[in-house]
Amino acid sequence: MSDLYDFRTTEAKWQASWNETGLFRAPADPDPSRKFYALEMFAYPSGDIHIGHFRNYGIGDAAVRRLLMQGKDVLHPFGWDAFGLPAENAAIQRDIHPREWTLGNIATGRSTLQAVGLGYDWEREFATCNPDYYHFTQWIFVLLYERGLVYRKNAPVNWCVGCATVLANEQVQDGQCWRCKSVVEKRDLEQWYIRITEYAQRLVDGLDTLPKWPKSTLASQRNWIGRSEGAAITFGVESPAEGCPSELEVFTTRPDTLWGVTFLALSPESDAGRWCAGHGSNATDVAAYAKAAALKTEIERSAANREKTGVDSGLRAVHPCTGETVPVLVADYVLASYGTGYVMGVPAHDERDFQFAKAHDLGIAVVIQNKSGSLDVATMEGAYTESGVMTASGPFDGRPSADAIPQPQVIAWLEEQGTGSGRVTFRLRDWLISRQRYWGCPIPMVHCAACGVVPVPQDQLPVTLPPDVESWIPKGRSPLADVAEFVATTCPKCGGAAERDVDTMDTFIDSSWYHLRYTDAHNGDLPFDPVAAAKWLPVDLYIGGAEHANGHLIYFRFITKVLKDAGFLDVEEPVVRLFHHGMVQDGDGRTMSKSLGNVISPIHLAREFGIDAARLAMFFFAPSREEIRWNEDGAAAARKLVTRLHATFVANRDVIAAFPADVRGDSSGSDEAREARRRAHIMLQRFDDAFDGDLALNPGVAAIYELLNVFPNAEKVAASSEADRRCYAEALRVLALTMAPVAPHLAEEVHEMLGGEGSVFRTSWPAVDPEALVLDTVEIAVQVRGKVKARITVAADADEASVRETALADPAVVAAIGEQPVRRVIVVPGRLVNVVV
């Protein structure tokens, strides 16, 4: 080991060693008691890897290295989420074929990840754009179809103007496309859907089994799935014309307010709303209103503080309890994508309905009276939404509404009348997966004039994406429709002429099952062997961004449950522990992004400062779950730390070598030597707390600095007593192992210098010695008149009387007290003495 640390040579040396020995190659047959599946969300190859990725993957890499030192059988794979909008949009901007652009970026990204020494099992690598992967994306689609979970329908969909394709609800954020930020419109299209709503209750129930997921993500999913209990109630339509729905079903969580309904409101996109726009008595106004509503985002339409607009539909509904008619309005605050598309208006007991009724001169009826009985429609300035007593409510007059006590009775009564029933509904909508883009997995369905829509049999998969198209630039319909040789096919059922479906799948289909493929990455017959999957699943640690809470993290939970039901898995949930890393920002506070052009390559950092320095800087900036603002001063400081660490081990190698690897100091050493030992175990404890807890590695890195700051120079160490040298040798041995996950190349070099065999990551992770953490003495501040006058050193276990005696005997305290009588001495153990004079 050279006295000067050449990080470039050292890092290349140890990376070559890891590759040659297969350090990160997962065993084929892990010990069930030692298995650990660690996974970071895979990358979109729309450009090179940047330091935002480096932070995410570095956190996982550090955790994996510590796991190896704990003797775990680890699966830590990597792959590429290579289909979809991100890669295709980047290719379009550069006028290059998406496949050429994507595969080129994968090669560059792989090279970068390997160059910065991240420890992956590269033998399990795959890209979702290759047929050997999307073969089984199609296989899973067909399985879903066969299980009744896939259907096709014409409905209003989210249309991204910029990307010229349909988006799922989860991909619309604040009325904009999740990728390009273009405004999202509503269009009527026939599309493919997956019945994720069939699993809504299980998706909610499963959240209770995930104690190691962030509470914010669990809450977000609960809200997105949106489970509600209430009643479905049928209102008849008075004298419906031909083609008009004869009944309108509403859902409410407050059936106790049913007698207060004074109007119904329809979504413009609902069946009744469409009929009214084309055939109703007020069709002109309704059609104009519906056209204007289609230009607004769902966020705008449902905002609580906006004016509630509407137009008379021309229909009248029949109240199921009273038989009276109530007006029916078309209102854009009602969304067809949520509930039934029809809502009942109870102005007296719902603030939104109250505002709407006032704006449109609709009736208001009080049916929940307050305790004083003072509610009067003539004087009400807002809705009464608290509990009270049911009134003007038929057989339920006088019943208390508190805690929805009447709800079961009201529902039972509705069921007896044949006008309603209890129901559980969900905010979650079925997953729209059709995309009018080229760069995606072809939908394996065939359209036959004789047989209808027929799935491609499993033994005829994959339906490969044609390599050449006239243009892959989005045009509002799939570019595959222009590839005649792709479209023309034969029906798998009757053998007659047929056409392939020309849409491709949402890329979230690809990522909904990728965690399963890693367990058996090269299986040519199945997505994975269930036996192989059972050895590794569930994922023990999953690291990725919180922005996927209501998209990917719901979809892959759903697919895992479906495959369990189909007999391919024995786990209900895919991930035990989920961790959200913080983003990396540039100097201006903008999140680093390829789209913003403000990214920094980790290759640059590796060449300038060294990989270990870049890692230490990244870990030291902030806790792993928080955002960091990158600056190269931190990397430069970390490089100095690496150099200082190296120099410390070089200078003390003879002292360390004089003792066995399991050397232990004890209480016979000097205060200075025992403090160095204590600092080493504090550092170890901090790293243990981080890896077993919140993955905040910055306290551990700070503890490395703290240890070095109390460590004496090499000459003093060499000249110290044997008891002291034992303490110093133990402190450095602990440091050499504990720094390995965060500074792996340097740790390997030190391990070799200290006579270690093989990789440091095949040695045992050290254990904290509780006795080493105990302080023999503590320094306590002494205040007189609220000002610190002295600092005293006392035994850590000193009683209050001895602390008081020592404080009052200190010369500086004596001088501060002078001739004044001491009224009181307050001792805060281990921290403070306050003398009141």
Side-chain angles (χ1 to χ4, degrees):
M1 182 174 183
S2 170
D3 287 356
L4 297 177
Y5 187 59
D6 180 352
F7 67 79
R8 295 185 180 88
T9 301
T10 301
E11 290 171 353
K13 166 187 171 182
W14 290 110
Q15 287 178 25
S17 174
W18 298 335
N19 292 333
E20 290 168 6
T21 60
L23 178 63
F24 299 103
R25 189 178 304 126
D29 193 22
D31 184 323
S33 67
R34 296 200 307 266
K35 84 89 182 172
F36 197 100
Y37 186 175
L39 184 63
E40 296 96 54
M41 294 181 184
F42 58 176
Y44 290 120
S46 54
D48 193 8
I49 298 298
H50 57 71
I51 62 171
H53 300 111
F54 182 57
R55 186 189 194 200
N56 178 15
Y57 306 151
I59 295 166
D61 180 82
V64 162
R65 292 176 185 273
R66 191 241 193 180
L67 289 164
L68 291 174
M69 298 176 75
Q70 291 180 309
K72 299 291 187 181
D73 291 341
V74 180
L75 171 59
H76 188 218
F78 199 84
W80 307 91
D81 193 8
F83 265 147
L85 296 178
E88 186 176 32
N89 286 345
I92 290 171
Q93 291 172 5
R94 292 160 178 81
D95 192 26
I96 185 173
H97 194 286
R99 181 171 184 81
E100 179 183 349
W101 169 252
T102 299
L103 295 184
N105 283 327
I106 288 175
T108 300
R110 182 192 307 112
S111 176
T112 296
L113 292 174
Q114 292 173 345
V116 296
L118 293 172
Y120 292 112
D121 182 352
W122 288 104
E123 293 184 359
R124 296 174 185 255
E125 177 192 18
F126 56 74
T128 61
C129 66
N130 287 331
D132 59 356
Y133 182 88
Y134 71 72
H135 172 173
F136 298 108
T137 301
Q138 295 174 345
W139 187 99
I140 289 172
F141 180 92
V142 173
L143 175 71
L144 292 168
Y145 181 84
E146 291 172 345
R147 296 182 68 82
L149 295 172
V150 171
Y151 65 96
R152 184 175 170 86
K153 74 171 183 178
N154 189 291
V157 298
N158 302 307
W159 181 264
C160 173
V161 177
C163 295
T165 191
V166 168
L167 301 177
N169 286 341
E170 291 81 1
Q171 294 162 338
V172 181
Q173 299 173 355
D174 297 329
Q176 297 178 327
C177 172
W178 71 294
R179 290 302 304 180
C180 74
K181 307 305 178 186
S182 296
V183 173
V184 174
E185 300 177 347
K186 286 291 184 181
R187 291 190 181 182
D188 287 345
L189 291 174
E190 191 171 24
Q191 305 284 283
W192 287 104
Y193 293 81
I194 294 176
R195 296 185 195 275
I196 192 172
T197 52
E198 290 290 316
Y199 282 71
Q201 185 61 58
R202 284 172 63 182
L203 287 168
V204 171
D205 293 341
L207 297 174
D208 293 331
T209 69
L210 302 174
K212 294 185 179 181
W213 280 44
K215 289 182 173 59
S216 59
T217 299
L218 297 176
S220 182
Q221 289 205 5
R222 287 186 197 281
N223 179 64
W224 187 261
I225 299 168
R227 185 184 190 278
S228 297
E229 293 185 17
I233 304 170
T234 301
F235 285 74
V237 175
E238 184 182 45
S239 305
E242 183 179 354
C244 176
S246 59
E247 294 180 340
L248 304 176
E249 184 182 79
V250 303
F251 172 80
T252 179
T253 59
R254 292 290 308 275
D256 56 314
T257 66
L258 175 59
W259 282 263
V261 172
T262 60
F263 69 92
L264 296 189
L266 314 176
S267 164
E269 298 86 6
S270 66
D271 290 342
R274 290 166 179 250
W275 185 89
C276 291
H279 309 283
S281 60
N282 198 23
T284 300
D285 289 348
V286 173
Y289 183 83
K291 183 177 181 180
L295 299 177
K296 301 175 184 176
T297 68
E298 290 191 357
I299 298 294
E300 291 174 323
R301 287 171 58 173
S302 58
N305 59 354
R306 70 179 287 263
E307 180 185 0
K308 303 302 184 288
T309 64
V311 62
D312 188 356
S313 70
L315 301 179
R316 295 294 179 268
V318 180
H319 196 295
C321 300
T322 67
E324 297 177 357
T325 59
V326 297
V328 180
L329 289 88
V330 178
D332 64 3
Y333 72 83
V334 185
L335 305 176
S337 57
Y338 301 116
T340 64
Y342 312 120
V343 300
M344 65 185 207
V346 187
H349 307 294
D350 181 279
E351 189 60 36
R352 181 187 61 183
D353 294 346
F354 184 88
Q355 295 174 16
F356 191 81
K358 284 291 188 180
H360 298 278
D361 197 23
L362 300 170
I364 299 175
V366 172
V367 294
I368 305 293
Q369 186 58 259
N370 61 18
K371 293 180 181 179
S372 64
S374 61
L375 289 181
D376 187 340
V377 171
T379 59
M380 289 179 71
E381 296 181 357
Y384 178 77
T385 58
E386 299 176 17
S387 60
V389 177
M390 296 177 69
T391 185
S393 298
F396 296 95
D397 278 1
R399 298 284 187 91
S401 68
D403 302 319
I405 290 173
Q407 178 166 305
Q409 293 95 322
V410 174
I411 292 174
W413 183 83
L414 289 168
E415 290 174 345
E416 290 176 1
Q417 304 300 310
T419 56
S421 61
R423 182 174 296 179
V424 174
T425 67
F426 297 89
R427 181 177 183 267
L428 182 70
R429 299 294 92 193
D430 281 340
W431 182 6
L432 194 166
I433 59 95
S434 297
R435 297 294 179 268
Q436 293 69 45
R437 300 291 293 248
Y438 166 72
W439 192 237
C441 175
I443 294 176
M445 303 297 283
V446 170
H447 299 264
C448 173
C451 304
V453 183
V454 181
V456 177
Q458 300 283 16
D459 61 3
Q460 294 181 25
L461 298 176
V463 176
T464 56
L465 189 68
D468 297 314
V469 295
E470 181 179 338
S471 172
W472 55 83
I473 296 175
K475 59 191 70 175
R477 61 185 179 86
S478 174
L480 295 181
D482 298 328
V483 185
E485 58 271 26
F486 174 81
V487 175
T489 188
T490 56
C491 175
K493 192 172 182 180
C494 70
E499 294 185 347
R500 294 194 186 280
D501 199 288
V502 296
D503 284 350
T504 53
M505 295 188 209
D506 176 12
T507 188
F508 280 106
I509 289 280
D510 305 327
S511 59
S512 69
W513 71 279
Y514 83 111
H515 59 296
L516 307 173
R517 183 64 171 175
Y518 284 131
T519 66
D520 191 18
H522 306 296
N523 193 323
D525 300 316
L526 291 169
F528 54 87
D529 179 0
V531 174
K535 294 177 181 179
W536 288 110
L537 292 171
V539 176
D540 296 282
L541 173 62
Y542 194 34
I543 301 175
E547 68 273 14
H548 294 293
N550 295 331
H552 162 66
L553 290 173
I554 288 180
Y555 298 145
F556 92 139
R557 291 183 60 223
F558 161 69
I559 290 295
T560 297
K561 294 178 189 299
V562 173
L563 290 173
K564 180 180 186 293
D565 292 348
F568 290 93
L569 296 174
D570 57 7
V571 296
E572 180 82 6
E573 290 289 342
V575 166
V576 174
R577 179 185 177 195
L578 173 68
F579 179 80
H580 293 316
H581 63 87
M583 307 300 281
V584 179
Q585 299 176 337
D586 63 17
D588 296 324
R590 301 178 303 164
T591 297
M592 286 194 180
S593 167
K594 285 169 282 193
S595 62
L596 294 177
N598 63 342
V599 298
I600 297 173
S601 171
I603 292 291
H604 160 71
L605 301 177
R607 290 171 179 166
E608 183 72 18
F609 306 105
I611 298 167
D612 287 350
R615 290 168 67 100
L616 287 166
M618 197 74 74
F619 297 145
F620 189 54
F621 273 127
S624 298
R625 63 163 50 104
E626 295 181 9
E627 294 179 341
I628 62 173
R629 185 169 293 192
W630 178 260
N631 71 77
E632 294 200 352
D633 291 343
R639 179 178 174 181
K640 292 179 181 177
L641 174 60
V642 170
T643 302
R644 186 180 175 190
L645 283 165
H646 176 266
T648 299
F649 282 103
V650 170
N652 292 282
R653 56 186 161 189
D654 292 339
V655 172
I656 304 170
F659 298 97
D662 61 351
V663 60
R664 289 291 180 269
D666 55 40
S667 60
S668 63
S670 67
D671 290 348
E672 187 176 25
R674 285 184 288 114
E675 178 63 9
R677 179 173 182 255
R678 190 177 76 87
R679 291 288 180 178
H681 283 272
I682 288 175
M683 173 191 62
L684 174 56
Q685 183 68 68
R686 288 184 185 176
F687 276 115
D688 278 344
D689 291 344
F691 286 121
D692 296 333
D694 60 3
L695 292 176
L697 300 173
N698 53 316
V701 177
I704 295 176
Y705 280 104
E706 292 165 8
L707 170 58
L708 293 179
N709 289 340
V710 301
F711 208 88
N713 61 48
E715 291 77 11
K716 187 172 183 179
V717 171
S720 62
S721 68
E722 180 177 346
D724 281 6
R725 293 199 303 274
R726 291 180 68 86
C727 289
Y728 292 132
E730 180 187 354
L732 291 179
R733 288 281 188 183
V734 170
L735 173 59
L737 295 174
T738 308
M739 72 182 185
V742 293
H745 305 85
L746 174 63
E748 289 279 29
E749 191 76 357
V750 169
H751 177 67
E752 182 182 63
M753 182 269 289
L754 298 180
E757 296 181 358
S759 171
V760 68
F761 298 106
R762 294 303 184 193
T763 61
S764 295
W765 181 256
V768 174
D769 182 352
E771 292 185 2
L773 300 176
V774 176
L775 279 169
D776 293 329
T777 60
V778 293
E779 184 180 79
I780 299 177
V782 183
Q783 292 181 342
V784 179
R785 287 183 173 178
K787 295 183 178 180
V788 175
K789 296 298 181 179
R791 295 184 183 276
I792 60 173
T793 300
V794 299
D797 58 354
D799 59 24
E800 186 172 323
S802 61
V803 172
R804 181 186 298 109
E805 181 180 351
T806 302
L808 293 176
D810 185 274
V813 175
V814 171
I817 295 173
E819 298 299 323
Q820 302 169 93
V822 175
R823 291 188 175 183
R824 189 179 179 194
V825 178
I826 303 169
V827 177
V828 181
R831 294 178 54 195
L832 177 70
V833 176
N834 186 27
V835 181
V836 182
V837 296

